[in-house]
Amino acid sequence: MHELSLISEVIEQVSRDACERGIEKVNSVTLTIGSLSHVQPESLKFCFDLAKQQTILHDAALEIIKKEGNQLEIVEYEGEQAHGEHSC
């Protein structure tokens, strides 16, 4: 199941970027998935729900936009700014 390794990398990238921007909690993540990518959206969502636990994405929703091609890209994420010091 390569979806777990793919979504783990997405979570790592979003977490790292959010930390650099002072975001303490991510509320949503939007991805595009190409129709030729061989990624199953439902499997990706299942893996996301498992892998996001114990991260700043623990309550985040995952939105998937299907497109032509073979890409899997992070379109955007939304989160909440840290108040004061943040622990990344």
Side-chain angles (χ1 to χ4, degrees), residues 63-82:
E63 181 183 349
I64 295 175
I65 301 168
K66 296 179 186 176
K67 288 191 169 187
E68 296 296 319
N70 61 0
Q71 77 283 357
L72 185 146
E73 298 176 327
I74 301 169
V75 176
E76 67 179 0
Y77 66 89
E78 295 181 7
E80 299 174 19
Q81 255 345 94

Side-chain angles (χ1 to χ4, degrees), residues 5 12-13 19 27 31 41 46 48 58 62 64-66 72-73 75-76:
S5 62
E12 183 178 320
Q13 287 181 20
C19 182
N27 298 320
L31 304 177
F46 177 79
F48 180 75
H58 61 89
L62 178 63
I64 295 175
I65 301 168
K66 296 179 186 176
L72 185 146
E73 298 176 327
V75 176
E76 67 179 0

Side-chain angles (χ1 to χ4, degrees), residues 4-32:
L4 182 57
S5 62
L6 291 172
I7 204 64
S8 294
E9 181 64 27
V10 167
I11 289 170
E12 183 178 320
Q13 287 181 20
V14 170
S15 295
R16 185 177 30 236
D17 188 72
C19 182
E20 290 172 3
R21 296 174 185 265
I23 295 172
E24 66 182 359
K25 180 181 177 188
V26 174
N27 298 320
S28 66
V29 177
T30 303
L31 304 177
T32 57

